[in-house]
Amino acid sequence: MIAGRNWPIALVRNDIRNKFNLGEEKMISLPSNILLRVLGPCLLNLPERILDAAGIVRTAAAAMCESDGDGGCRNEGEALFLKILAMVAILVTGVMGVALPLLGKRLTCLRTDRGFFLIAKALAAGVILATAFVHILPDAMLVLQSECLPEIPWKRFPFGGFIAMFSAMATLVVDLLSTGFFERKHHKHASSSSLEDQDLDVEAGADSNGSQPKLHIVGMHAHAASHSHSHPQGLHGKELGFEHLGHAHSASFSDEDDEFARIRHIIISQVLELGIITHSIIIGLSLGVSQSPCTIRPLLGALSFHQFFEGFALGGCISQAGFKPLSVVIMAVFFAITTPGGIAIGIGISEVYNPKSVKALVVEGVFYSVSAGILVYMALVNLIAADFLSKRMRCDHRLQTLSLLSLFTGATLMSLLAFWV
């Protein structure tokens, strides 16, 4: 083992001896001696030079982290104009996307029970899935392994994928707990309504012919309201036969299935909006603080496309959930203003906000990861699987084929945008 400050000269001597098979007496000859004298001073400074190079790399990395990352394309005036244009375009496309399904009650082709709506919803689901896998998750992993973050722990573990995975599982837990809560609330409300609406008067005793006790229905308004058809005359107030009881039970089961589907749509729409808002605010903030027109231009079109189809998927879920008008307006407005609001906040803090600071990178990476996990779960489980495994889709092969083509088209188009953004 060669040690000490003269280790470079010793290495060169050994290399020359082995390469030319020279003895020790040959090593002191003029050529090799000249070689050592020429290379020696350079080799003696090799460790220091290596350290200097490492210092230069560290200095360059620090300068990169302190810079605004505009890559020489900085133009504050043009960037501000593009950001205002982006706010308007994203707001308009978001409102259009979320409003179309909500206005579908007036437009026959956009009603939620029509095949065209399911095909368009599959396209939007493909866009959301590609947004999560191709855009948000890779950005999260890139941000959380940035050169501006400390080596430990950020570069020793794939936090982006880890957080996204737990976010998806946490969304499952929220989905289960929310479904159970709304089901218990519905059953409790249904039980109390049944006790209030149905007034049963059971008269026990034999009649004049000695027959068995009969069940007389005094308050039949609740029963009549629960059926869309009329009963034969003379049925009310007489014995309720087994055939009618069976019909009543089947109608009750149908109502329960419809109510369960409505509960699922309520939860889906709320969790989906949470996932969309989580990444929309960060995307808007990142665009707002940028002073580079070269960065903003491609984002303008991509975010408008993305906002429209996310809004369409969310609007469809809101429409199917049957919210009250005020709740519908609040959810739609909140979705539409989130990204433009993030851009406005970014414009306001652009002079003091450093997007490459440790805190900013960690917050951005964590938000992206959480959003990716929520959107992956919602797209695969509550949008794609829920529709494609439904009885209607399984029985209608033409609708199934068109919906699959629409799904792959949406995912492909959104993925291709990664070439520009």
Side-chain angles (χ1 to χ4, degrees), residues 184-197:
R184 288 191 296 272
K185 184 178 179 180
H186 167 67
H187 289 317
K188 183 178 180 181
H189 177 72
S191 299
S192 60
S193 299
S194 177
L195 291 175
E196 292 175 0
D197 294 340

Side-chain angles (χ1 to χ4, degrees), residues 52-73:
D52 289 343
I56 292 173
V57 172
R58 286 194 298 270
T59 303
M64 181 189 68
C65 294
E66 293 175 0
S67 69
D68 53 15
D70 291 330
C73 189

Side-chain angles (χ1 to χ4, degrees), residues 392-406:
R392 180 181 180 184
M393 190 78 78
R394 286 185 284 110
C395 295
D396 191 339
H397 296 293
R398 181 173 177 272
L399 177 61
Q400 187 181 73
T401 302
L402 292 175
S403 297
L404 282 171
L405 289 174
S406 182

